[in-house]
Amino acid sequence: MDKLIKALKEGVVTVVFEKIDTKEIRSMACTLNSEVANLSTSITNQSPNCSTIVMYALDRKAWRDVRVDTIQKWYIGYPEENT
């Protein structure tokens, strides 16, 4: 999770995870970079040992927390088509 948190701080990352309530697979473009998201606030310290990671969802324009054990994959950049 260290690499994911570092990538989120640097720019846009797509996180693919399973939603807990519906079991739906979601691809979410997100960031922890306040300049990328045009935010006045940011979250700077997150432990890679936590069960959840807080990130800013660019499509929803809102903070979201994702359980680490639901993350299937992540990659730098916006969602790929046909994912």
Side-chain angles (χ1 to χ4, degrees), residues 31 33-41 56 58:
T31 190
N33 185 309
S34 59
E35 291 179 16
V36 169
N38 197 24
L39 299 171
S40 59
T41 60
Y56 188 80
L58 295 167

Side-chain angles (χ1 to χ4, degrees), residues 67-80:
R67 285 186 32 182
V68 170
D69 62 358
T70 66
I71 297 174
Q72 296 186 350
K73 68 178 181 175
W74 64 272
Y75 52 88
I76 295 171
Y78 286 90
E80 299 170 349

Side-chain angles (χ1 to χ4, degrees), residues 17-26 51-52 65-71:
F17 64 98
E18 182 180 287
K19 292 179 69 172
I20 293 174
D21 53 350
T22 64
K23 304 296 183 197
E24 171 189 356
I25 302 300
R26 179 151 190 297
S51 61
T52 61
D65 63 325
V66 176
R67 285 186 32 182
V68 170
D69 62 358
T70 66
I71 297 174

Side-chain angles (χ1 to χ4, degrees), residues 8-68:
L8 286 163
K9 288 179 179 180
E10 291 176 359
V12 177
V13 175
T14 294
V15 177
V16 179
F17 64 98
E18 182 180 287
K19 292 179 69 172
I20 293 174
D21 53 350
T22 64
K23 304 296 183 197
E24 171 189 356
I25 302 300
R26 179 151 190 297
S27 295
M28 181 172 69
C30 46
T31 190
L32 287 174
N33 185 309
S34 59
E35 291 179 16
V36 169
N38 197 24
L39 299 171
S40 59
T41 60
S42 64
I43 295 174
T44 55
N45 293 323
Q46 291 195 69
S47 171
N49 301 322
C50 285
S51 61
T52 61
I53 298 177
V54 176
M55 52 193 85
Y56 188 80
L58 295 167
D59 60 342
R60 306 291 174 145
K61 297 184 177 168
W63 291 100
R64 298 286 191 246
D65 63 325
V66 176
R67 285 186 32 182
V68 170

